[in-house]
Amino acid sequence: MIGSLTFLLAPVSSSSSSPFLSLHRLSCFHSSPSDILRATTRRLALAATKTRSITSMATEEENTGNVKRELEKVFDLALKATVPNETDVRPLIAACTAKFGDYQCNNAMGLWSKIKGKGTEFKGPQPVGQAIMKNLPPSEMIESCSVAGPGFVNVVLSKNWMAKNIQKMLVDGIETWAPKLRVKKAVVDFSSPNIAKEMHVGHLRSTIIGDSLARMLEFSNVEVLRRNHVGDWGTQFGMLIEYLFEKFPNSEDANETAIGELQEFYRRSKNRFDSDPAFKERAQQAVVRLQSGEPKYHEAWAQICEISRKEFDKVYKRLRVDLEEKGESFYNPYIPGVIDELSKQGLVEDSQGARVIFIEGVNIPLIIVKSDGGFNYASTDLAALWYRLNEEKAEWIIYVTDVGQQLHFDMVFSAAKRAGWLSADDSTYPKASHVGFGLVLGEDGKRLRTRFSEVVRLVDLLDEAKNRSKAVLIERGKDKEWTEEELEQTAEAVGYGAAKYFDLKNNRLTNYTFSFDQMLNDKGNTAVYLLYAHARICSIIRKSGKDIEELKKTGSLVLDHADERALGLHLLHFSEVIEEALTNLLPNVVCEYLYNLSELLGQPRRLADCYYVKLPQQLCGNAFISWELYPFIRYRVYKI
């Protein structure tokens, strides 16, 4: 059985029997955070001197599914034979259009600029390219080569090698095409809503982009720590706790049903805080009592947090996203020790009553202790970064938030580099990356809101997508053919999957306009179109009556037809596409690949001229992302 590949989007199912979300509150320590910090700071300083290059995300381990990497090995030998005295030359291989070949080596011009004037025998980049081609060792993967323009070496792959490589994947599993990355352990910090506030449409991007990056890393055999850095600490809890005490003097009465909608509870407490000086004073005292650990206040805080988690869980269940919660409160005990260590290194200075770290090239300092002695986001984020590097031993920490927080994280990362926590060069590990994203806009070009100018609740948006999907299915008479359970499951798969894909297909750095009509369109680059392509191929398979597993063992894969070869080549790009998406942290690269895959299979002439076996499996339930990859194969067994 071909191994399963799950990334970008989770399988969508209405089953409520399996746990979708794992949240663990870690609120007690077996040893002092300060002791832990002192014991590990030396380890981190030592580790920082032992960084590893990540100029290429991939390792040099064998990965025959990555054509680009295999060609780099061949051209590396040719380059060494062509310019033996140039020891720092890396092969520059890129996919190219079919007009010139399948791949291209682009070293000639760069080499010529390095060697001209050194008594070289070459007269220009074109002869350099000719020499590179001449020095290529025999390789079963290359059918032919040619040199174009100023020395570009174009490569046409052997269709026999292509077929052999694809069939090997079919037998061994798609996991054999996973990128081989240099990083072994990563933290992906995403979603991160605030306690006592509902998740809104702005959380959609962080949640699904972060989940997609985590899935791609996990597919690439990286251990991923999925962290939900919820906002569960701070001055706002004083007013929430005090309002809770005021409304429910008997704590046993303060349950989820009695409190009602947390967002409204938050608004009412905020109104009291702003309008009633006596309430404000009590709320400020409540913060002090909470932070000092008084049981009554800690219990009230825990109760509010638990009600919020249940609301968050409604969204995570719909999106099938797994997270482990380690919120602001978890890192709070580590802050004093971290600040102490930074101070000992001479990084912390006093400025207008506050304690700050000055960052080169930035006009404002990074405040880590406020003038009133309180901590802030920077304090927490530095403590969290320290913990992830030292205690969790992560090599790559990825933060998924909106682009508006870019400067904040740049300053945090710069402070960590000055402290020796992170490599000074982002091309080596350990490293931290901020994955910013743009806004979700309404049709008026402004931030998406309800007609009452309120932020759209994420759970409402997802359910509207499901309901519209269900309405279309009923309109097409599916309620007459399917059970209510089947109808509901399909509506969820299409609706939730369409919402996720509509976001993911966009470059994360740009804003995009949300539209239910475009999202659920069955034409163009949408999840619905991809689902249709899958259903079409599944129908062909059913009508064939063939045993796919048997065909993999006994059939002979050939790529004689031009369209078969084109699809085979596209499939062989898979590993390098995943690697590119991870290198640049851009899930839309994979979406584009999948859309083009569906387009290659969607032309009517291909149905008439070629032999089909199977396309990605389980797309209906997984919005085209949790799948087993089968190529457009000609086994010479049957014809449609």
Side-chain angles (χ1 to χ4, degrees):
M1 187 69 179
I2 289 195
S4 175
L5 165 62
T6 306
F7 56 94
L8 288 183
L9 303 179
V12 179
S13 169
S14 63
S15 171
S16 59
S17 60
S18 58
F20 296 108
L21 178 66
S22 175
L23 295 175
H24 302 284
R25 167 61 50 190
L26 303 176
S27 57
C28 61
F29 304 92
H30 298 290
S31 56
S32 163
S34 298
D35 291 340
I36 296 174
L37 183 131
R38 283 191 293 271
T40 53
T41 297
R42 291 182 180 179
R43 294 203 307 267
L44 180 60
L46 179 62
T49 66
K50 298 180 179 180
T51 56
R52 290 171 289 115
S53 173
I54 53 170
T55 303
S56 166
M57 285 286 295
T59 69
E60 295 181 2
E61 296 178 40
E62 182 179 5
N63 179 11
T64 56
N66 192 317
V67 180
K68 184 178 177 180
R69 298 292 169 219
E70 291 299 298
L71 285 173
E72 284 177 352
K73 296 176 185 177
V74 176
F75 274 92
D76 185 56
L77 296 174
L79 289 167
K80 288 176 178 176
T82 303
V83 284
N85 295 326
E86 300 294 332
T87 58
D88 60 343
V89 178
R90 295 176 60 90
L92 303 176
I93 308 297
C96 59
T97 62
K99 178 180 178 182
F100 301 104
D102 300 323
Y103 284 83
Q104 192 175 76
C105 175
N106 300 322
N107 284 91
M109 290 184 67
L111 270 180
W112 169 243
S113 66
K114 293 181 69 173
I115 63 178
K116 65 181 178 181
K118 294 183 179 180
T120 177
E121 61 184 282
F122 302 112
K123 304 301 182 183
Q126 226 270 352
V128 174
Q130 293 285 354
I132 293 172
M133 183 179 70
K134 180 180 178 181
N135 287 321
L136 280 170
S139 172
E140 65 171 341
M141 69 186 303
I142 297 176
E143 182 174 296
S144 64
C145 290
S146 61
V147 177
F152 300 120
V153 182
N154 296 314
V155 175
V156 175
L157 298 177
S158 162
K159 63 184 180 182
N160 292 332
W161 178 86
M162 292 168 61
K164 176 183 175 182
N165 209 18
I166 293 170
Q167 186 153 5
K168 186 176 187 301
M169 179 276 293
L170 285 172
V171 174
D172 296 342
I174 186 62
E175 292 85 359
T176 59
W177 281 9
K180 309 294 184 183
L181 307 185
R182 295 182 183 276
V183 62
K184 300 301 181 185
K185 193 174 191 179
V187 168
V188 182
D189 180 326
F190 65 103
S191 192
S192 307
N194 288 316
I195 294 294
K197 292 184 179 181
E198 297 216 54
M199 292 181 72
H200 54 75
V201 67
H203 291 107
L204 175 68
R205 304 213 73 183
S206 176
T207 303
I208 66 173
I209 291 171
D211 182 57
S212 300
L213 294 174
R215 290 178 181 278
M216 286 191 284
L217 286 166
E218 288 161 350
F219 172 69
S220 303
N221 298 305
V222 176
E223 181 185 353
V224 179
L225 306 180
R226 295 158 162 265
R227 293 291 177 256
N228 198 7
H229 189 94
V230 298
D232 65 350
W233 203 247
T235 56
Q236 75 273 20
F237 279 94
M239 70 181 189
L240 289 167
I241 290 171
E242 195 58 37
Y243 191 70
L244 185 72
F245 290 161
E246 185 177 278
K247 289 296 180 182
F248 304 99
N250 184 354
S251 61
E252 294 180 359
D253 296 333
N255 53 45
E256 183 178 358
T257 303
I259 291 175
E261 189 180 72
L262 262 181
Q263 188 81 2
E264 183 59 31
F265 186 83
Y266 183 93
R267 287 175 185 158
R268 292 197 299 266
S269 65
K270 184 68 166 63
N271 287 338
R272 285 296 309 279
F273 185 86
D274 292 338
S275 61
D276 187 337
F279 178 87
K280 181 177 181 178
E281 185 176 349
R282 293 197 305 273
Q284 290 171 337
Q285 288 299 314
V287 174
V288 176
R289 292 179 175 182
L290 171 63
Q291 293 179 346
S292 65
E294 286 192 30
K296 177 183 176 182
Y297 289 84
H298 188 275
E299 288 172 9
W301 167 79
Q303 187 175 24
I304 293 170
C305 290
E306 186 57 31
I307 294 172
S308 278
R309 289 190 194 103
K310 291 179 180 178
E311 290 300 311
F312 300 158
D313 192 40
K314 294 177 182 178
V315 172
Y316 297 137
K317 281 184 177 180
R318 285 165 172 77
L319 296 177
R320 290 294 298 272
V321 170
D322 294 317
L323 285 157
E324 181 181 5
E325 181 184 317
K326 282 189 178 177
E328 293 174 356
S329 63
F330 176 86
Y331 302 105
N332 198 59
Y334 293 92
I335 294 175
V338 167
I339 293 176
D340 184 53
E341 287 298 326
L342 293 171
S343 299
K344 289 178 179 178
Q345 293 189 48
L347 301 182
V348 181
E349 302 179 36
D350 292 327
S351 176
Q352 299 179 11
R355 304 190 70 191
V356 305
I357 298 176
F358 287 97
I359 306 299
E360 185 177 356
V362 182
N363 293 329
I364 57 174
L366 181 68
I367 300 174
I368 59 173
V369 181
K370 296 184 293 184
S371 58
D372 62 3
F375 301 134
N376 59 7
Y377 289 128
S379 322
T380 305
D381 286 334
L382 281 168
L385 181 58
W386 179 92
Y387 183 89
R388 290 162 177 176
L389 289 165
N390 283 273
E391 295 305 309
E392 296 181 319
K393 308 299 182 187
E395 302 158 282
W396 193 9
I397 300 95
I398 300 169
Y399 297 82
V400 187
T401 73
D402 65 89
V403 291
Q405 297 188 48
Q406 182 70 57
L407 177 60
H408 167 76
F409 281 106
D410 284 348
M411 294 175 73
V412 169
F413 298 162
S414 294
K417 289 176 182 179
R418 287 187 62 192
W421 299 357
L422 301 173
S423 170
D425 183 354
D426 284 338
S427 66
T428 55
Y429 293 117
K431 64 178 289 187
S433 303
H434 177 246
V435 177
F437 53 82
L439 300 173
V440 181
L441 306 177
E443 294 183 355
D444 59 357
K446 300 178 181 179
R447 189 190 296 263
L448 184 64
R449 295 182 181 274
T450 68
R451 58 182 176 177
F452 302 109
S453 297
E454 296 179 346
V455 176
V456 177
R457 296 170 71 236
L458 183 49
V459 71
D460 291 341
L461 180 145
L462 293 172
D463 286 348
E464 178 67 13
K466 185 201 78 171
N467 292 337
R468 290 192 181 211
S469 173
K470 186 175 181 179
V472 172
L473 292 171
I474 292 174
E475 188 178 299
R476 296 181 179 180
K478 297 303 179 184
D479 56 326
K480 306 294 192 303
E481 302 175 22
W482 300 342
T483 66
E484 179 60 29
E485 183 181 4
E486 290 172 334
L487 187 67
E488 190 75 9
Q489 288 179 346
T490 305
E492 288 181 0
V494 175
Y496 299 156
K500 295 167 79 173
Y501 187 86
F502 194 69
D503 187 296
L504 287 171
K505 73 174 184 178
N506 297 282
N507 185 309
R508 59 175 171 78
L509 293 170
T510 62
N511 301 336
Y512 75 91
T513 301
F514 189 89
S515 168
F516 282 111
D517 291 338
Q518 292 182 33
M519 182 180 77
L520 295 170
N521 197 335
D522 60 1
K523 297 179 178 62
N525 188 8
T526 67
V528 181
Y529 173 77
L530 302 184
L531 291 167
Y532 172 76
H534 166 255
R536 190 182 191 195
I537 299 303
C538 285
S539 176
I540 294 171
I541 295 168
R542 285 193 300 270
K543 292 176 181 178
S544 75
K546 301 298 179 181
D547 184 333
I548 302 300
E549 294 303 313
E550 185 62 26
L551 284 177
K552 286 193 295 181
K553 297 174 184 176
T554 61
S556 175
L557 193 156
V558 294
L559 301 172
D560 286 345
H561 193 283
D563 289 333
E564 291 171 342
R565 189 186 186 283
L567 183 53
L569 180 62
H570 187 78
L571 291 171
L572 286 167
H573 288 163
F574 172 75
S575 182
E576 57 204 63
V577 166
I578 302 301
E579 185 180 320
E580 178 189 350
L582 285 173
T583 300
N584 300 311
L585 299 170
L586 292 172
N588 65 291
V589 172
V590 182
C591 292
E592 182 180 359
Y593 172 85
L594 294 171
Y595 174 61
N596 291 335
L597 176 62
S598 294
E599 285 279 272
L600 282 168
L601 284 155
Q603 301 299 325
R605 62 189 176 86
R606 292 190 170 93
L607 288 174
D609 296 341
C610 300
Y611 298 78
Y612 280 73
V613 173
K614 199 173 185 182
L615 189 69
Q617 191 177 8
Q618 298 180 356
L619 302 189
C620 288
N622 305 330
F624 207 81
I625 307 296
S626 173
W627 47 296
E628 294 181 348
L629 185 63
Y630 285 83
F632 170 166
I633 306 172
R634 184 167 166 184
Y635 273 108
R636 299 197 185 281
V637 176
Y638 61 92
K639 186 170 184 177
I640 305 305

